[in-house]
Amino acid sequence: MDINTHASWLKDFYISRQWYPYPPFIRLAFLTEEMGELAQAVRTHEIGRDHPDEQRQSVEKQQERILEELADVFDNVLILADKYGYSPEDLMRASESKLRARFGTQESSEPDSGEVL
């Protein structure tokens, strides 16, 4: 699966669930919620949690939860970007451009002359 295929599927899924119409400031609240869940998952994995009402999770379960929460954050970023008319490529280009400008020019991750990375 590539990022554009996923972004397109995700947008269609959000539309079908009637989640897409929420405006960007509400989407940002959802992103913030997902970031909190990711922070809790990482904290649990890295330093543990001491809650009497929670069972201790295996390392595998902790890593599954981190993956799940990272995916939720990723999806919310893709939807928020789409709300502003940005594609996943736009985000990746902006990231590389900003980092190259700030820290010096390095080769782009985009292949030249048909080279596959």
Side-chain angles (χ1 to χ4, degrees):
M1 171 183 309
D2 71 27
I3 194 168
N4 290 316
T5 301
H6 177 70
S8 178
W9 174 87
L10 184 68
K11 182 177 180 179
D12 290 344
F13 179 79
Y14 271 53
I15 289 169
S16 76
R17 301 291 303 171
Q18 299 178 355
W19 297 342
Y20 190 80
Y22 291 118
F25 68 92
I26 291 177
R27 291 257 50 96
L28 190 57
F30 292 144
L31 175 59
T32 301
E33 176 185 351
E34 295 301 342
M35 286 296 300
E37 291 173 8
L38 175 58
Q40 184 181 51
V42 168
R43 175 183 175 224
T44 298
H45 182 70
E46 295 297 327
I47 64 173
R49 287 182 52 86
D50 187 17
H51 280 249
D53 60 337
E54 294 180 8
Q55 287 188 339
R56 189 174 193 96
Q57 296 178 337
S58 68
V59 170
E60 293 79 20
K61 284 284 187 193
Q62 292 173 16
Q63 290 176 329
E64 286 174 17
R65 180 148 183 252
I66 290 170
L67 177 61
E68 179 182 309
E69 298 305 338
L70 281 167
D72 289 346
V73 167
F74 180 68
D75 285 351
N76 273 278
V77 167
L78 290 176
I79 292 294
L80 186 60
D82 186 76
K83 289 286 194 176
Y84 285 102
Y86 297 121
S87 71
E89 285 88 3
D90 293 331
L91 299 178
M92 292 183 290
R93 275 192 293 275
S95 170
E96 287 187 19
S97 177
K98 177 182 175 179
L99 292 172
R100 281 195 303 270
R102 183 175 291 166
F103 297 105
T105 303
Q106 294 183 359
E107 289 186 37
S108 171
S109 66
E110 292 186 30
D112 294 328
S113 68
E115 176 185 336
V116 177
L117 297 178

